[in-house]
Amino acid sequence: MNDILDSDTPPARVLLRQAGAFVAARAIVLVANLLTGVRAIWSGTTPVAETTLYFANHSSHGDFVLVWATLPPDLRAITRPVAGQDYWLASRLRRFIGQDVFNALMIRRDGSGAVGGAATNPVEQMVQALEAGDSLIMFPEGTRNTGDAVMLPLKSGLFHIARACPRVRLVPVWIENLKRVLPKGQLVPVPLACSVRYGAPVVLADGEDKAAFLARAQQAMLDLRPDHDKAEER
């Protein structure tokens, strides 16, 4: 199941943990809907059961929760958020939520290795997971955008994954308003309607270089913003 429960773990404990994870997942989806009224908007694509890399803007700790919660249940079951090992393995509760509830792909943000001692970097971990048939949620900015810029520059990982996994669907995602629901430094969320907008898949063109592809991928995300967000930028 994961590295917390080994082969000697009593079956009753395994079943109890699985039941707890199921209940927690349902509760997280319910709270996300109650707090944000989040809705999925599929523009130029549809939810299909194919291996997919969802790449989204990143401004809040709750970003991957909203993407995960807005996927249909059958896709949610095969989609793993990419999460920082240093944060999600820091306590038993976080470990339970990250591993048992979300089945997150844990990466070391310093690139020095993976859970279980595998000598691999985050891009290699993601490529391996995608090749195994898992869909992933990742944030190509690399860190949360807590400033005034609409987006941070995209890291090169998305390009390397696109080149290594040409058959994987690369779906741009824009998460609206969550930065306002969970403002920096605030512990109490502010109820506010959010949306998660899914765009048409991006395909790496033959001979396309890294800079051109990343610029096009970022623009695909920015194009998903609602009109009122674009107006505020002018």
Side-chain angles (χ1 to χ4, degrees):
M1 186 174 179
N2 56 46
D3 63 348
I4 299 175
L5 302 178
D6 56 32
S7 58
D8 296 326
T9 302
R13 186 182 173 196
V14 173
L15 291 174
L16 181 62
R17 197 172 188 91
Q18 290 175 335
F22 175 80
V23 172
R26 295 291 294 270
I28 288 170
V29 172
L30 177 62
V31 170
N33 279 280
L34 289 176
L35 183 62
T36 68
V38 65
R39 62 191 180 113
I41 300 173
W42 297 84
S43 175
T45 189
T46 56
V48 294
E50 297 178 8
T51 305
T52 301
L53 178 68
Y54 303 96
F55 61 96
N57 60 310
H58 192 23
S59 61
S60 165
H61 284 306
D63 288 332
F64 81 73
V65 176
L66 285 198
V67 178
W68 188 79
T70 54
L71 293 173
D74 59 331
L75 299 190
R76 195 183 305 148
I78 60 172
T79 302
R80 308 173 65 188
V82 177
Q85 173 183 335
D86 56 320
Y87 179 83
W88 286 101
L89 300 186
S91 70
R92 291 182 65 85
L93 177 60
R94 289 183 191 173
R95 184 185 295 257
F96 170 72
I97 294 173
Q99 291 187 328
D100 293 81
V101 178
F102 293 119
N103 188 28
L105 177 65
M106 299 293 182
I107 63 170
R108 290 188 61 158
R109 287 182 272 201
D110 60 7
S112 60
V115 178
T120 182
N121 64 40
V123 170
E124 289 171 343
Q125 286 179 255
M126 286 185 268
V127 168
Q128 290 171 5
L130 291 165
E131 289 178 341
D134 295 328
S135 291
L136 298 177
I137 300 166
M138 63 96 74
F139 303 102
E141 292 167 280
T143 187
R144 284 187 304 133
N145 178 9
T146 58
D148 295 328
V150 178
M151 285 192 71
L152 300 175
L154 303 193
K155 302 294 186 182
S156 62
L158 181 63
F159 170 75
H160 295 304
I161 293 170
R163 189 169 57 179
C165 304
R167 297 184 180 180
V168 170
R169 296 171 74 242
L170 307 176
V171 173
V173 180
W174 188 262
I175 304 167
E176 178 195 6
N177 271 343
L178 190 56
K179 189 174 183 178
R180 298 169 184 170
V181 173
L182 293 171
K184 183 179 179 182
Q186 298 296 316
L187 297 178
V188 180
V190 178
L192 189 65
C194 295
S195 65
V196 177
R197 298 167 183 261
Y198 298 86
V202 174
V203 179
L204 178 65
D206 291 341
E208 187 173 21
D209 64 24
K210 179 174 67 175
F213 173 77
L214 293 178
R216 192 161 56 84
Q218 185 174 55
Q219 190 59 52
M221 299 164 70
L222 292 170
D223 287 345
L224 294 171
R225 291 178 298 161
D227 290 340
H228 63 81
D229 272 6
K230 296 175 184 176
E232 288 177 3
E233 186 184 352
R234 299 190 187 108

